[in-house]
Amino acid sequence: MQAGWKAKFLLGLSLCLSALGSPIGEQFDEQLTLKSLRDGKVLSRFSFTTLLKGASPRNPQTLGSDDISQHYTIFPLALGQILREYAITEMHLTLNAGNWNYDRWGYPEEAGVGTGAELWAWMGDGPSDTVDDRWKGLRNALAGLFCASLGSLDEQRTTAPVRSFEPEGNLPDWGPPHQIRHASLASEHVCTENLTPFLKLLPCKSLSGIASLLNPHRLFDADWHGMGVHVLWREGEGVEVRLAFQSISDPVRYSLGRKQDWDFRTLFDRTIDRKCPVAQSSHVVVALPTSAEFDISPEPTSNAAGLATFDVATLNKPLDVGLRWRFDFQYPLDFDSPTSSLSVQRTLRGSSQARGQLSLVLKNHRNTSLHVVYLETMPWLVQFYLHTLQIYINGSRNDDAMSDMTYMPSIPHARPATFQCVLAVPPGGALHLTMDVAKSFLRYTEHPPDAQRGWDLPPAILTPFDPTSNRSANDPIGGRIYTPALLVDLATPDFSMPYNVIIFTCSLVAFIFGSVFNLLTRKFVVVHIEPTKDKKE
Amino acid sequence: MGHWRDSDPLLDMDFTPDPSKLSFQADSVRRKIISAYWTIIILALPLWWYTTSIERLSLPSSQVASNAQKRLQIPVRLAVDVGSEGPLVATQLQKSLNKRIERVPERWDGLDVRVSTSAEAVDGTYIICSGREVAVMRDRNLVYPVGAQSISGLTDVLSDLIAPFPSTSEPEHRVAQYSPRYRLSFSLLNEDAAAGNAFTEWDVSDAIARHISPILNRVSILHNFTLESQVQFHAPLAFNPQHLDTIFGITPEDLTVFVNSAEWTLSSSASNDPVLHFVLFIPSAARRPLHILNNEGDISPSNAFLLPQWGGIVIHNPSLQDIHSDAKFSSAILDPIFSAFSSHLLSLLGVPHLPTNVQTVSRTHDALTDWQFDALLRYRALNNAQRSKDTLQSIVNLVGQIENMPVGPNVRDDIQNALIALEYMYDASKASLTETLRHSARAFILSSRAFFNPGMLALLYFPAEHKYAVYTPMFASAVIPLFVAALREVAAWRRERKQKQ
């Protein structure tokens, strides 16, 4: 009897342990959030979080000596190696394609939506390798890992904007303060070769669990898509790696403009067939529409506060969550009116290849005044004339709207400019900032292979904050806002005929040289011509 | 034109001065101008030469050549400790060994084997004592039933212990190339964890501490190691195993493509150290049991195999008990797997196997005996010496062959330091085996670094035609007038001299 009781207890214990599913020390959670937007599009956001419990980032003081052995079960080893090799405390890498439309889609769930590639990292200072050496190593290693041209995020693109990129986790206290490095490359094209290594970092790859919905054919067909890798340290918890994928797909387009119904099949062309065996939690969360009649299938596991939650582990598989509307989709009249508190417009004006004007328009849709940190990290290709900076509030000149300006001028061929200031936008008003810029004349070898296309300038970043509190808190006003990238047309030589140019210049030089030389050395003689009789007549 | 000349003939007859009388038309002035041009050109030539020539520092090629002739001789001292018969057995054994050396010289190349009696034994000498029937070893001692008729058997055993590899200079194809640091990567790969009955956890640190660390500590003189491990839950194979009745089989051909590098993320992008992989593969629940087949199509008794210079793989089919207990490996399952890994590791590091008829008796649980360890040191030292000599010779030949190849101070310094390390190695070879190895490794690393110096490739593919294409349009049109003027002036000067005579 006693033995039987013991066996039952042990069985129960082992069941508990196996129900836990994941090993102690590492925890993996996955979530998919789906939300129908006002203009009929659907936002899907995948989030895969791995927590390495009790771990801490490598102290750069120990970089000279041997590191501890890395034994992981869920945590991606390929990423762990890079993080420890270069002693990275916090790192954020995003690869996005397209422009996020804040006015129509509101604030994204993942703040990093800047076009192209963006990488920023917080690193402690150490005795053996400088922060810049490790930054270089980090971007080259990530370039190799993600098959992205992050290697070109070199000194000419690297800045240290502390104010706009505050650490999202905690920074350990190792003595010397932490430093930030940030670089972005708007011209990076994100495609399936970047998604494949991204999927390999997931414990279940794209073969089971929520990640099996990540179908490159559909994701890269979306109106907007972006992936992100975020590594941060939470004091008392451990090192957290969050892999995120966001996309904006358009079911109205798939259904030939009639219905905004969607399900996994139409959005991703896949269903969830199996659960990921190591996921501690695996949820699909659908934001339900508030003002329309709809039908959701299958029955959600729980339904609260307008959010229907599906637990992938317990529901019948294959799981195909779908939302169906009773009526056809009609564009709302206000589909283009802003949903965010701040609208931003940034343009580069001027048709000349030497001069231009940068213009930024901020519109505050709230009825309280809004303070934003405005950050421009401009490659040296475009140089600011700071004395021409002018600010208009609702059409009238008001330079007092700008405060706390810091400016680090660019160095040609070496360093980008960093321009940062705080702008105050009055309630319901518009702020218009203009500044003249000069466009550089590049060396022959500095042009990219597609030189005629122009240069992509990185997006400006605006961070709203509450001036009454001490630090520039992200919420509740909203996080960083990225403007669309700009394209600048620089004077471009004709690359097709360098040899012709050589020949032409050489001919000219040879002609001038020959003439001068001949003139200097020619012997003049008088030739006496006897007048002939014919002529005389 | 003729018209006004006709009308005013006096003008050009009487009032025009003779141009040769003008000061700037004097022959001396013209010659000075031409010589000034030529002086500048000739003075500028060294500058042009200096700015366009490739930096090619001279290499110590004669030293490299003389070094290639030198041979590393590592002494191996054997002593026979069998009492009064000692001197007789020693001479017999020496003779028998010398015969072996003559028969297969490449196996003994670089080894200087001397047999003596125990009275002359110095530190590091291998002692052969007479003992029971079984050949038993302890540290540097060998116990063997020594007798007049057993000399040939003893010679066999000694050859296997001292020179276990077929050649001392040619590297073994299984053994990983020498590196001062290796990464050991342990991977638990579930073919498909979602199909159920998978292992999500293993106590790898404990298994490494018990099976791998003793080896690593023993060979720490040769290499440093970085350890890492990972678990993967979806690691599909690139082929479909054969389905035979109740089992699934992998043919020898399939084994060559067993590692699915496209799907298994095994490689590391953070360092350049060579990686030795140890893969524990758990077949999907739908494909169990999975066995390796031999050439005849029968099930091979072992489910482990070694990929030369890459690592080792063990296929484990969990039994029913394993599955029911937990998703975690018990040490009872991991022990045989990790002892397979440890033997793989020994093979990859180049540790020779003991002859089959030799047993070990050692007080401590050492991973390898002194005989094996010394043989490994000798193998690595001779190999490194040979390879660094070859590499140095290749650099000298390559630089001699390709005239466009720049040789910077880095390359020259590395080559010189490698030569110095080789010298040290020769000096140390009589005294200490570990010192010999240390210097040979240094020579090998430096010579490889010189060989792969990226600066040497810079202008390798810059053809001479490019230069002509840029120079000709300029120089052909500018230099020809210069030449013609100079020639004309020389001719005029000669004519003048002739006329004067």
Side-chain angles (χ1 to χ4, degrees):
Chain A
M1 193 67 198
Q2 189 130 20
W5 176 84
K6 243 182 195 170
K8 264 182 197 162
F9 174 76
L10 280 176
L11 188 71
L13 193 75
S14 68
L15 274 176
C16 281
L17 282 174
S18 58
L20 213 70
S22 69
I24 305 134
E26 289 174 49
Q27 183 182 326
F28 175 67
D29 300 283
E30 53 181 8
Q31 193 180 39
L32 166 63
T33 316
L34 292 147
K35 192 172 152 192
S36 287
L37 300 171
R38 202 173 41 174
D39 59 356
K41 297 190 171 57
V42 175
L43 160 70
S44 28
R45 176 240 196 178
F46 295 82
S47 161
F48 306 95
T49 313
T50 308
L51 181 67
L52 195 61
K53 286 179 192 160
S56 57
R58 186 175 183 184
N59 187 342
Q61 310 286 340
T62 65
L63 270 175
S65 51
D66 269 9
D67 193 21
I68 52 161
S69 301
Q70 298 178 61
H71 297 295
Y72 302 129
T73 46
I74 302 175
F75 195 85
L77 176 65
L79 195 61
Q81 283 173 337
I82 294 172
L83 296 174
R84 293 208 71 91
E85 175 81 20
Y86 304 109
I88 307 296
T89 307
E90 181 167 328
M91 182 206 91
H92 300 267
L93 167 70
T94 50
L95 296 166
N96 301 316
N99 290 325
W100 183 271
N101 193 331
Y102 288 90
D103 286 348
R104 285 195 193 180
W105 305 335
Y107 285 112
E109 302 205 16
E110 301 281 341
V113 290
T115 310
E118 184 187 39
L119 175 67
W120 55 285
W122 281 92
M123 288 175 272
D125 212 344
S128 54
D129 289 327
T130 66
V131 168
D132 286 307
D133 288 341
R134 280 153 51 212
W135 167 247
K136 186 180 173 188
L138 172 72
R139 57 181 202 242
N140 286 334
L142 288 175
L145 186 62
F146 288 102
C147 299
S149 40
L150 302 174
S152 50
L153 295 174
D154 52 5
E155 295 71 34
Q156 298 188 24
R157 302 224 164 229
T158 303
T159 55
V162 183
R163 237 186 130 176
S164 301
F165 294 93
E166 296 207 339
E168 292 180 6
N170 301 102
L171 300 179
D173 182 21
W174 286 321
H178 273 68
Q179 293 187 38
I180 187 180
R181 291 290 179 273
H182 171 270
S184 63
L185 189 67
S187 54
E188 174 72 16
H189 296 283
V190 185
C191 200
T192 182
E193 79 269 17
N194 308 117
L195 181 68
T196 310
F198 175 89
L199 291 176
K200 281 186 180 170
L201 297 180
L202 297 172
C204 292
K205 297 184 180 164
S206 65
L207 294 164
S208 61
I210 288 175
S212 56
L213 295 176
L214 289 168
N215 176 5
H217 290 283
R218 278 306 168 88
L219 295 175
F220 294 124
D221 183 39
D223 289 23
W224 184 94
H225 59 83
M227 63 183 88
V229 180
H230 308 276
V231 181
L232 45 97
W233 178 65
R234 293 191 199 281
E235 195 166 5
E237 288 186 49
V239 175
E240 181 187 296
V241 170
R242 194 174 82 251
L243 296 150
F245 197 100
Q246 287 186 110
S247 75
I248 298 272
S249 25
D250 191 356
V252 183
R253 172 156 61 97
Y254 296 138
S255 69
L256 303 169
R258 318 199 98 227
K259 299 278 276 182
Q260 65 177 130
D261 298 351
W262 56 261
D263 53 32
F264 286 168
R265 276 250 165 258
T266 54
L267 289 182
F268 309 110
D269 199 21
R270 283 186 189 170
T271 52
I272 301 176
D273 298 336
R274 301 183 295 177
K275 68 170 183 127
C276 175
V278 284
Q280 179 151 39
S281 71
S282 182
H283 291 123
V284 177
V285 178
V286 180
L288 300 172
T290 47
S291 57
E293 287 181 59
F294 64 90
D295 177 28
I296 190 160
S297 69
E299 191 58 34
T301 319
S302 67
N303 197 337
L307 294 175
T309 307
F310 299 86
D311 187 355
V312 176
T314 53
L315 284 173
N316 286 338
K317 277 168 265 307
L319 178 66
D320 186 2
V321 175
L323 197 61
R324 250 156 263 292
W325 273 260
R326 195 162 162 206
F327 301 108
D328 279 4
F329 174 67
Q330 279 184 324
Y331 270 102
L333 290 172
D334 61 340
F335 82 97
D336 217 7
S337 72
T339 56
S340 55
S341 54
L342 183 72
S343 295
V344 187
Q345 201 179 14
R346 176 176 170 247
T347 42
L348 192 64
R349 300 171 178 169
S351 57
S352 123
Q353 287 187 322
R355 292 291 177 89
Q357 191 184 44
L358 186 75
S359 148
L360 178 83
V361 181
L362 300 181
K363 283 195 187 116
N364 184 358
H365 305 301
R366 303 194 316 166
N367 39 22
T368 51
S369 74
L370 192 64
H371 288 75
V372 289
V373 178
Y374 168 49
L375 171 72
E376 281 281 1
T377 53
M378 192 57 81
W380 61 270
L381 311 167
V382 171
Q383 282 147 4
F384 295 146
Y385 287 123
L386 223 55
H387 68 281
T388 61
L389 193 144
Q390 293 180 335
I391 293 175
Y392 296 88
I393 301 275
N394 297 329
S396 60
R397 180 88 186 263
N398 182 353
D399 285 349
D400 296 335
M402 185 182 80
S403 56
D404 290 352
M405 191 200 78
T406 54
Y407 177 58
M408 190 191 268
S410 61
I411 299 174
H413 312 286
R415 190 179 74 186
T418 315
F419 173 78
Q420 198 166 32
C421 66
V422 173
L423 298 174
V425 194
L431 182 147
H432 189 182
L433 181 149
T434 61
M435 180 162 40
D436 286 357
V437 297
K439 300 176 187 174
S440 301
F441 191 78
L442 298 190
R443 290 175 189 155
Y444 174 72
T445 48
E446 281 170 340
H447 288 276
D450 54 347
Q452 309 292 346
R453 188 184 161 267
W455 289 79
D456 289 287
L457 300 178
I461 294 152
L462 294 132
T463 320
F465 73 102
D466 186 2
T468 51
S469 70
N470 288 334
R471 59 192 294 274
S472 53
N474 294 335
D475 290 314
I477 312 169
R480 289 188 302 277
I481 298 173
Y482 291 80
T483 66
L486 292 176
L487 194 66
V488 61
D489 181 28
L490 300 180
T492 316
D494 182 358
F495 292 97
S496 60
M497 335 189 236
Y499 189 66
N500 296 10
V501 173
I502 291 174
I503 296 271
F504 181 77
T505 345
C506 286
S507 309
L508 193 72
V509 168
F511 172 72
I512 295 167
F513 172 84
S515 322
V516 171
F517 181 75
N518 276 340
L519 212 61
L520 283 172
T521 59
R522 177 156 296 161
K523 195 173 181 176
F524 290 97
V525 284
V526 179
V527 182
H528 294 279
I529 303 165
E530 286 299 316
T532 53
K533 281 189 177 169
D534 305 2
K535 275 238 167 143
K536 208 133 201 197
E537 283 171 9
Chain B
M1 192 171 145
H3 213 72
W4 61 259
R5 233 184 223 173
D6 293 344
S7 61
D8 201 358
L10 288 176
L11 197 72
D12 73 325
M13 296 295 276
D14 299 336
F15 297 103
T16 313
D18 183 357
S20 60
K21 295 284 187 305
L22 290 169
S23 67
F24 60 85
Q25 278 286 304
D27 281 351
S28 62
V29 171
R30 191 169 55 251
R31 281 171 194 168
K32 270 179 198 158
I33 291 171
I34 293 171
S35 60
Y37 268 99
W38 276 103
T39 322
I40 286 170
I41 287 176
I42 288 162
L43 286 180
L45 273 179
L47 182 74
W48 170 78
W49 184 256
Y50 177 74
T51 49
T52 57
S53 63
I54 302 159
E55 187 187 24
R56 278 166 70 88
L57 301 175
S58 68
L59 295 178
S61 42
S62 61
Q63 257 177 290
V64 170
S66 69
N67 228 310
Q69 302 301 320
K70 273 200 199 172
R71 291 225 116 89
L72 176 62
Q73 284 288 332
I74 299 177
V76 181
R77 298 281 170 266
L78 298 167
V80 186
D81 184 14
V82 286
S84 59
E85 283 180 4
L88 180 71
V89 175
T91 43
Q92 276 181 332
L93 187 61
Q94 180 81 59
K95 248 187 226 163
S96 165
L97 279 170
N98 283 349
K99 245 184 231 164
R100 287 290 165 90
I101 293 168
E102 271 167 41
R103 219 183 319 143
V104 244
E106 67 273 7
R107 183 167 171 183
W108 296 86
D109 194 21
L111 300 179
D112 174 26
V113 187
R114 297 277 163 78
V115 188
S116 62
T117 54
S118 55
E120 297 159 40
V122 288
D123 197 32
T125 306
Y126 303 94
I127 314 260
I128 301 155
C129 357
S130 185
R132 283 162 296 160
E133 277 172 42
V134 197
V136 177
M137 260 185 348
R138 170 180 297 164
D139 300 335
R140 283 202 175 80
N141 294 4
L142 174 68
V143 183
Y144 198 83
V146 182
Q149 67 277 22
S150 64
I151 288 293
S152 123
L154 177 61
T155 316
D156 283 342
V157 170
L158 283 176
S159 328
D160 286 344
L161 285 173
I162 294 166
F165 298 105
S167 164
T168 54
S169 51
E170 289 293 309
E172 283 283 286
H173 82 283
R174 279 182 172 196
V175 179
Q177 194 182 334
Y178 180 82
S179 160
R181 180 176 283 277
Y182 290 109
R183 290 186 96 93
L184 302 188
S185 163
F186 295 88
S187 311
L188 166 59
L189 302 186
N190 289 288
E191 190 187 358
D192 189 1
N197 297 333
F199 287 95
T200 53
E201 222 187 328
W202 58 340
D203 198 352
V204 68
S205 312
D206 176 57
I208 287 174
R210 276 185 292 124
H211 296 273
I212 305 292
S213 296
I215 301 174
L216 304 187
N217 292 336
R218 192 74 163 93
V219 297
S220 59
I221 296 173
L222 289 115
H223 316 281
N224 290 321
F225 296 92
T226 311
L227 295 173
E228 59 199 25
S229 79
Q230 61 174 334
V231 180
Q232 289 190 21
F233 305 98
H234 292 279
L237 293 174
F239 61 93
N240 279 322
Q242 286 186 358
H243 191 191
L244 311 164
D245 303 336
T246 56
I247 65 140
F248 290 83
I250 308 171
T251 60
E253 293 83 62
D254 288 339
L255 283 185
T256 57
V257 293
F258 188 83
V259 176
N260 186 358
S261 346
E263 299 283 338
W264 305 355
T265 18
L266 298 175
S267 62
S268 138
S269 57
S271 91
N272 288 327
D273 303 326
V275 189
L276 300 180
H277 298 274
F278 298 94
V279 172
L280 170 55
F281 185 81
I282 312 292
S284 155
R287 277 187 188 162
R288 284 178 200 161
L290 184 69
H291 287 286
I292 298 173
L293 305 178
N294 59 18
N295 283 323
E296 284 77 45
D298 302 326
I299 297 172
S300 154
S302 164
N303 250 356
F305 64 101
L306 180 107
L307 286 178
Q309 303 191 11
W310 187 88
I313 296 171
V314 174
I315 300 170
H316 177 70
N317 294 300
S319 64
L320 285 173
Q321 294 100 303
D322 304 345
I323 294 161
H324 285 306
S325 62
D326 201 345
K328 188 170 170 166
F329 273 105
S330 67
S331 62
I333 309 170
L334 272 186
D335 272 340
I337 291 164
F338 268 78
S339 70
F341 282 158
S342 68
S343 82
H344 288 161
L345 176 64
L346 289 176
S347 303
L348 292 166
L349 292 178
V351 178
H353 291 290
L354 285 178
T356 43
N357 54 343
V358 175
Q359 293 179 355
T360 52
V361 174
S362 80
R363 284 169 300 268
T364 56
H365 286 281
D366 256 350
L368 46 157
T369 61
D370 280 348
W371 290 85
Q372 287 169 294
F373 186 61
D374 287 353
L376 173 66
L377 288 181
R378 283 194 295 267
Y379 166 76
R380 286 293 193 190
L382 286 165
N383 247 307
N384 284 345
Q386 188 59 42
R387 292 184 67 124
S388 45
K389 279 193 281 188
D390 289 350
T391 313
L392 289 176
Q393 192 65 51
S394 315
I395 299 174
V396 170
N397 291 346
L398 207 63
V399 169
Q401 265 172 25
I402 303 169
E403 286 172 5
N404 270 343
M405 188 179 259
V407 181
N410 293 345
V411 177
R412 190 193 50 188
D413 292 351
D414 277 351
I415 291 176
Q416 272 168 353
N417 290 335
L419 285 170
I420 292 168
L422 282 176
E423 285 303 321
Y424 280 141
M425 181 193 72
Y426 291 125
D427 294 343
S429 65
K430 296 281 168 295
S432 157
L433 192 52
T434 50
E435 280 299 292
T436 314
L437 175 89
R438 211 167 56 80
H439 292 302
S440 75
R442 193 174 146 71
F444 173 63
I445 292 160
L446 287 172
S447 59
S448 310
R449 198 170 71 183
F451 189 79
F452 292 109
N453 192 305
M456 293 173 86
L457 290 171
L459 295 167
L460 208 54
Y461 304 105
F462 190 76
E465 287 82 358
H466 260 190
K467 275 182 254 171
Y468 303 137
V470 176
Y471 283 147
T472 342
M474 175 77 195
F475 287 119
S477 41
V479 171
I480 288 171
L482 270 174
F483 258 108
V484 171
L487 286 177
R488 203 164 44 201
E489 217 45 53
V490 168
W493 174 71
R494 279 173 125 183
R495 223 177 14 249
E496 260 175 49
R497 237 174 47 160
K498 258 186 199 162
Q499 276 173 358
K500 270 182 194 166
Q501 280 169 0

